[in-house]
Amino acid sequence: MHIVCSSCAAINRIPQGKTTAEANCGKCKKPVFSSKPVNLDDASFDRYIEKNDLPIIVDFWADWCGPCKAMAPTFTKVAAESTDLLFAKLDTQHAEKTGTQVRIRSIPTLIFFHKGVEIERISGALNEHQLKQFIVQCVDKL
Protein backbone atom coordinates (compact mmCIF):
# COMPACT_ATOMS: atom_id res chain seq x y z
CA MET A 1 0.00 0.00 0.00
CA HIS A 2 1.19 3.52 -0.77
CA ILE A 3 0.47 6.52 1.42
CA VAL A 4 1.60 10.13 1.08
CA CYS A 5 3.18 11.43 4.28
CA SER A 6 0.93 13.93 6.01
CA SER A 7 3.99 15.98 7.04
CA CYS A 8 6.31 16.12 4.02
CA ALA A 9 4.24 14.65 1.14
CA ALA A 10 6.77 11.90 0.40
CA ILE A 11 5.25 8.72 -1.00
CA ASN A 12 5.76 5.77 1.33
CA ARG A 13 5.15 2.08 0.76
CA ILE A 14 3.58 0.38 3.76
CA PRO A 15 4.54 -3.32 3.96
CA GLN A 16 1.78 -5.87 4.11
CA GLY A 17 0.88 -6.63 7.71
CA LYS A 18 1.90 -3.20 9.00
CA THR A 19 -0.78 -0.63 9.75
CA THR A 20 -0.61 2.99 8.65
CA ALA A 21 -0.65 4.03 12.31
CA GLU A 22 2.63 2.14 12.89
CA ALA A 23 4.44 3.51 9.85
CA ASN A 24 6.95 6.33 9.87
CA CYS A 25 7.97 8.28 6.79
CA GLY A 26 11.19 7.17 5.14
CA LYS A 27 12.07 10.81 4.40
CA CYS A 28 11.07 12.91 7.43
CA LYS A 29 10.77 10.03 9.97
CA LYS A 30 7.41 11.37 11.27
CA PRO A 31 4.26 9.21 11.27
CA VAL A 32 2.87 8.97 7.72
CA PHE A 33 -0.74 8.84 8.93
CA SER A 34 -2.26 11.79 10.72
CA SER A 35 -5.47 11.75 12.71
CA LYS A 36 -5.78 15.46 11.91
CA PRO A 37 -6.95 16.73 8.52
CA VAL A 38 -4.06 17.56 6.20
CA ASN A 39 -4.10 21.04 4.69
CA LEU A 40 -3.82 20.85 0.91
CA ASP A 41 -3.13 23.53 -1.69
CA ASP A 42 -2.85 23.73 -5.47
CA ALA A 43 0.66 22.26 -5.36
CA SER A 44 -0.10 19.28 -3.11
CA PHE A 45 -3.68 18.35 -4.05
CA ASP A 46 -3.06 16.05 -7.05
CA ARG A 47 -0.20 14.18 -5.40
CA TYR A 48 -2.20 13.57 -2.22
CA ILE A 49 -5.34 12.45 -4.06
CA GLU A 50 -3.69 10.31 -6.76
CA LYS A 51 -0.82 8.66 -4.85
CA ASN A 52 -2.66 7.43 -1.74
CA ASP A 53 -4.15 3.94 -1.72
CA LEU A 54 -6.37 4.80 1.25
CA PRO A 55 -9.68 6.59 0.64
CA ILE A 56 -9.62 10.34 1.24
CA ILE A 57 -12.36 12.78 2.15
CA VAL A 58 -11.61 16.42 1.34
CA ASP A 59 -13.41 19.39 2.86
CA PHE A 60 -13.47 22.28 0.37
CA TRP A 61 -14.00 25.42 2.44
CA ALA A 62 -13.18 29.13 2.80
CA ASP A 63 -12.35 31.26 5.83
CA TRP A 64 -15.25 33.66 5.20
CA CYS A 65 -17.86 30.85 5.09
CA GLY A 66 -19.95 30.54 8.26
CA PRO A 67 -21.22 26.99 7.58
CA CYS A 68 -17.63 25.92 6.81
CA LYS A 69 -16.45 27.22 10.18
CA ALA A 70 -19.41 25.58 11.92
CA MET A 71 -18.62 22.17 10.40
CA ALA A 72 -14.83 22.32 10.96
CA PRO A 73 -14.82 20.94 14.55
CA THR A 74 -17.05 18.04 13.50
CA PHE A 75 -14.77 17.22 10.55
CA THR A 76 -11.73 17.30 12.85
CA LYS A 77 -13.46 15.12 15.47
CA VAL A 78 -14.45 12.45 12.95
CA ALA A 79 -10.93 12.53 11.46
CA ALA A 80 -9.45 11.85 14.91
CA GLU A 81 -11.58 8.70 15.19
CA SER A 82 -10.50 7.27 11.82
CA THR A 83 -7.69 4.81 11.24
CA ASP A 84 -8.38 3.75 7.66
CA LEU A 85 -9.55 6.96 5.99
CA LEU A 86 -7.53 10.08 5.27
CA PHE A 87 -8.99 13.53 5.90
CA ALA A 88 -7.89 16.72 4.18
CA LYS A 89 -8.98 20.33 3.86
CA LEU A 90 -8.54 22.69 0.94
CA ASP A 91 -9.17 26.43 1.27
CA THR A 92 -10.79 27.28 -2.06
CA GLN A 93 -9.99 30.97 -1.70
CA HIS A 94 -6.26 30.21 -1.68
CA ALA A 95 -6.41 27.23 -4.05
CA GLU A 96 -8.66 28.59 -6.79
CA LYS A 97 -7.08 26.42 -9.50
CA THR A 98 -7.98 23.20 -7.68
CA GLY A 99 -11.44 24.46 -6.74
CA THR A 100 -12.12 25.14 -10.41
CA GLN A 101 -10.53 21.84 -11.50
CA VAL A 102 -12.87 19.76 -9.31
CA ARG A 103 -15.88 22.00 -10.09
CA ILE A 104 -16.62 23.35 -6.62
CA ARG A 105 -19.84 25.37 -6.97
CA SER A 106 -20.69 25.89 -3.29
CA ILE A 107 -18.97 25.46 0.04
CA PRO A 108 -18.60 23.58 2.18
CA THR A 109 -18.36 20.67 -0.22
CA LEU A 110 -17.02 17.27 0.80
CA ILE A 111 -15.59 14.97 -1.85
CA PHE A 112 -14.71 11.34 -1.17
CA PHE A 113 -11.82 10.10 -3.36
CA HIS A 114 -10.28 6.67 -3.77
CA LYS A 115 -7.09 6.13 -5.78
CA GLY A 116 -7.54 9.42 -7.60
CA VAL A 117 -11.19 8.89 -8.53
CA GLU A 118 -14.09 10.89 -7.13
CA ILE A 119 -16.55 8.46 -5.55
CA GLU A 120 -19.15 10.89 -4.18
CA ARG A 121 -19.67 14.51 -3.14
CA ILE A 122 -22.05 16.42 -0.93
CA SER A 123 -22.48 20.14 -0.33
CA GLY A 124 -23.57 21.91 2.82
CA ALA A 125 -22.58 21.72 6.47
CA LEU A 126 -23.09 18.30 8.04
CA ASN A 127 -23.45 17.33 11.67
CA GLU A 128 -21.49 14.37 13.06
CA HIS A 129 -24.19 11.79 12.33
CA GLN A 130 -24.64 13.04 8.74
CA LEU A 131 -20.88 13.08 8.11
CA LYS A 132 -20.45 9.52 9.38
CA GLN A 133 -23.44 8.38 7.33
CA PHE A 134 -21.94 10.01 4.20
CA ILE A 135 -18.64 8.21 4.83
CA VAL A 136 -20.36 4.83 5.27
CA GLN A 137 -22.29 5.32 2.02
CA CYS A 138 -19.05 6.16 0.21
CA VAL A 139 -17.11 3.21 1.66
CA ASP A 140 -19.96 0.91 0.59
CA LYS A 141 -19.34 2.02 -3.03
CA LEU A 142 -15.70 0.87 -2.97
Side-chain angles (χ1 to χ4, degrees), residues 38 40 45 48-49 55-61 71 75 85-91 98 102 104 108-113 120-122 134:
V38 175
L40 302 178
F45 179 80
Y48 200 78
I49 298 302
I56 303 163
I57 186 166
V58 181
D59 176 15
F60 293 86
W61 69 285
M71 188 178 73
F75 191 77
L85 177 64
L86 301 171
F87 286 73
K89 295 180 73 68
L90 185 123
D91 183 342
T98 302
V102 296
I104 299 301
T109 292
L110 300 175
I111 302 180
F112 190 96
F113 294 94
E120 189 69 57
R121 74 171 58 199
I122 190 169
F134 173 69

Side-chain angles (χ1 to χ4, degrees), residues 33-37 57 71-87 110 126-133 135-136:
F33 183 84
S34 175
S35 61
K36 296 178 183 174
I57 186 166
M71 188 178 73
T74 300
F75 191 77
T76 301
K77 181 180 185 231
V78 173
E81 297 169 359
S82 176
T83 58
D84 54 358
L85 177 64
L86 301 171
F87 286 73
L110 300 175
L126 304 177
N127 63 36
E128 184 176 349
H129 174 74
Q130 292 167 323
L131 176 56
K132 288 179 176 180
Q133 186 176 24
I135 291 169
V136 168

